[in-house]
Amino acid sequence: MKKKIGIVSLGCPKNLVDSEIMLGMLSHADYEIVNNKEDANVLIVNTCGFIESAQQESINTILEMADEKGHNCEVLIVTGCMAERYKEKILEQIPEVDAVLGTGNYKEIAEVINLAYMGEKTVAYGKLDETDYLDQERVISSAKQSVYLKISEGCDNRCTYCIIPFLRGKYRSRKMESLVREAELLAQKGAKEIIIVAQDSTRYGIDLYGKKMLPELIRNISDINGIEWIRLLYCYPEEINDELIEEIAKNPKVCKYLDIPIQHASDRVLKQMGRRGTICDIKQVLNKLREKVSGITIRTSLIVGFPGETEEDFEELIAFLKEYRLDRVGVFTYSKEDGTAAAKLKGQIPKRIKLNRQKKILELQNTISREINQDRNGKVFKTIVDGIADDGIFYYGRTYAEAPEIDGVIYFTSAEELSIGSFTNVKILNSEDYDLIGEVINEFTK
């Protein structure tokens, strides 16, 4: 009888891809994949270790899965960033865990499960120079119409607040042929939207080919039959060049949407963060994108309460947001992480001040987002159908301006039945801070 595998994937979409690769390996090793933890003989928690809140979520999830030991669950494995970071500590402090697998050791997943069944506990980590595991066939666990394509591993940016280079290694691009082959396979399985992800997508190809190759990758993927949307996440502003902007502008399959992690608007804070650009550079990129790419939606992430951030620095950030009115903004309070340069900086900000600054930005952005959404009322957008709402009345989906699971959705009615994964025209009737309400007009599906 086949052993049953269940996995909980925490953190970012890049982690989700890793989880799906492990599922692919295990399905080929003759394990059965199940969705419910109660049915699983083997439970895997693929952890995030980026910031304190993510670590706490990972710990809570591991403890929750540990409670399943002694029921149907026979083996508990911890993988991912927190596994790479804390290694033996996880085994020491949570005895229910049978194996710990770091971010470069996913290919060993079937082996360590076998060892666990033999009564041997395993800690495997430190292989931070490989990418070939990414070439393995995945088991897609999310909506098949919108699928992430992880184009590289690791990071060379060395931002002072970030632990990722220590957990994932140096920046390593995947070969172009491998990525195109995977995108073709995903299209054959029903993918309509390919979402390109990496720690820094804009640096793709520099290490392999000696130059930035993201525009060429986009062109190759856009030639694949069945792919209608290509979405770009995590494009660092200092790496966005004219060739990439032109490709976004002219390629009809590229969503006019860009995720650009800016982090701050004070040059002093940006320098302390180890960011390579200035706020002037960031503004020039934003201006050029808005000039060249009609209707572009821009999303960013910010950090408030970085060590030494003054009220003047914070006001610069507020002023920047008021001036540039970005479409989507995620705001994190600075998390002091051991092993990072920023953890040693003087001027650590009290938690209450960090939370207050976060609240102020969220309130400002809610107003901006609401006004931007109101401008969409009465307009018609091509929309991908992602599912049916719980009430059974509304469908829900996204336009080019919404990334899945990150941004809001469109709830809409249709006189005709629609297929999940199809595209339709939706007229926006009403708007909220993040979600929109609409109705289908002139239905069409592809």
Side-chain angles (χ1 to χ4, degrees), residues 100-318:
V100 176
L101 210 59
T103 58
N105 297 74
Y106 294 127
K107 288 195 297 183
E108 301 168 43
I109 184 66
E111 179 185 352
V112 301
I113 291 173
N114 290 337
L115 290 173
Y117 270 109
M118 294 167 60
E120 184 175 335
K121 293 205 172 192
T122 306
V123 178
Y125 61 91
K127 290 186 179 179
L128 301 181
D129 57 356
E130 298 183 2
T131 57
D132 60 338
Y133 82 93
L134 288 166
D135 298 332
Q136 304 288 323
E137 186 175 346
R138 297 151 56 189
V139 171
I140 303 302
S141 58
S142 56
K144 68 177 182 178
Q145 68 268 18
S146 300
V147 186
Y148 296 102
L149 182 66
K150 187 175 179 179
I151 64 173
S152 70
E153 182 56 280
C155 188
D156 289 342
N157 287 326
R158 301 288 172 174
C159 301
T160 61
Y161 52 82
C162 185
I163 197 72
I164 293 300
F166 303 98
L167 303 181
R168 293 279 180 173
K170 65 182 181 179
Y171 193 90
R172 307 175 313 276
S173 301
R174 292 176 62 190
K175 292 181 179 179
M176 181 83 67
E177 313 87 78
S178 173
L179 290 167
V180 174
R181 186 165 56 248
E182 182 176 357
E184 289 172 341
L185 184 61
L186 293 172
Q188 292 168 14
K189 293 182 176 180
K192 303 291 182 65
E193 177 183 21
I194 295 292
I195 307 166
I196 290 176
V197 293
Q199 199 63 36
D200 180 355
S201 296
T202 30
R203 290 180 63 85
Y204 172 72
I206 289 179
D207 55 318
L208 278 184
Y209 306 108
K211 63 177 182 176
K212 298 173 186 175
M213 295 288 281
L214 183 58
E216 183 171 335
L217 176 62
I218 292 169
R219 288 190 287 272
N220 287 334
I221 294 174
S222 66
D223 288 337
I224 298 171
N225 290 332
I227 301 300
E228 296 201 32
W229 280 356
I230 301 170
R231 188 180 300 275
L232 304 178
L233 300 187
Y234 318 131
C235 295
Y236 278 58
E238 60 270 20
E239 300 292 347
I240 297 173
N241 58 20
D242 290 345
E243 183 186 6
L244 179 59
I245 293 174
E246 182 181 358
E247 189 63 35
I248 295 169
K250 74 176 185 181
N251 191 324
K253 288 192 176 183
V254 178
C255 292
K256 311 316 177 197
Y257 175 108
L258 211 55
D259 186 308
I260 308 174
I262 291 171
Q263 309 304 8
H264 215 281
S266 160
D267 281 338
R268 197 184 67 81
V269 175
L270 287 170
K271 185 176 180 179
Q272 288 283 81
M273 287 179 167
R275 305 287 288 190
R276 286 174 285 135
T278 66
I279 190 58
C280 181
D281 298 328
I282 291 169
K283 288 180 177 180
Q284 285 179 354
V285 168
L286 294 176
N287 291 339
K288 189 173 290 187
L289 281 166
R290 285 175 166 172
E291 175 189 349
K292 301 290 185 180
V293 187
S294 177
I296 189 167
T297 292
I298 296 174
R299 176 182 179 84
T300 196
S301 54
L302 304 172
I303 297 173
V304 294
F306 189 80
E309 181 191 57
T310 64
E311 281 297 330
E312 290 76 15
D313 294 324
F314 181 68
E315 288 303 321
E316 285 186 53
L317 183 55
I318 292 287

Side-chain angles (χ1 to χ4, degrees), residues 392-403:
I393 299 172
F394 286 90
Y395 290 91
Y396 63 89
R398 297 167 293 106
T399 73
Y400 76 92
E402 290 86 29

